[in-house]
Amino acid sequence: TTGKTFRCYFQQGGWGKHCHKEYLFHLYDCFQNLCTPELKPRQLKKDGWSFETRTLGTFSFYGNLFYPIDPKTGKRTKRLPTRPNLLKKLISPISLAYWFMDDGSQKSKQSKGLILNTHSS
């Protein structure tokens, strides 16, 4: 969509009912001040847990930066910002560690390389 306000949605799950449950509750503790009681973590029908923040205009800077409107489709598409200096300012060692814990993996057992997934085009 082309919404003007944004929220954060967090989901963990996959390998069993309680996979990464503790980690998701840790994230909730970090973002709890941006949630309301009805937005507390909930168990998904399939394996996993999720929660979301309130929709806030304060997320607009990041939403517009990482989800710009695609001129061809008129819809938002996830993209990494192409301005390296801006990325250096936004990504700290701690945020990089969270990114890896959320969506990273080792390239292979034989490789020392790491993958940070973006799920973008």
Side-chain angles (χ1 to χ4, degrees), residues 4-114:
K4 294 182 180 163
T5 58
F6 297 84
R7 65 187 166 105
C8 292
Y9 177 78
F10 298 87
Q11 180 179 337
Q12 290 289 320
W15 303 304
K17 188 181 283 186
H18 301 293
C19 178
H20 304 290
K21 177 182 175 184
E22 293 82 12
Y23 177 64
L24 182 105
F25 275 75
H26 163 74
L27 291 174
Y28 177 73
D29 288 343
C30 293
F31 287 89
Q32 187 173 4
N33 64 329
L34 301 175
C35 299
T36 59
E38 58 272 2
L39 296 175
K40 64 183 180 183
R42 62 188 175 278
Q43 191 168 8
L44 303 172
K45 287 182 182 178
K46 295 192 175 195
D47 296 340
W49 289 80
S50 72
F51 77 91
E52 60 193 63
T53 66
R54 290 178 282 147
T55 300
L56 299 167
T58 54
F59 290 133
S60 293
F61 171 78
Y62 299 101
N64 289 317
L65 185 65
F66 288 92
Y67 292 88
I69 296 174
D70 184 325
K72 293 179 183 175
T73 65
K75 295 185 178 186
R76 292 194 179 276
T77 305
K78 187 190 287 186
R79 301 262 184 228
L80 279 177
T82 56
R83 297 175 8 212
N85 290 336
L86 181 59
L87 278 178
K88 286 179 187 177
K89 288 180 182 178
L90 293 174
I91 298 178
S92 69
I94 291 173
S95 66
L96 191 59
Y98 274 99
W99 185 1
F100 183 76
M101 288 187 291
D102 281 340
D103 226 356
S105 61
Q106 186 176 0
K107 189 173 180 181
S108 70
K109 290 184 180 187
Q110 296 78 28
S111 172
K112 293 181 182 177
L114 301 175

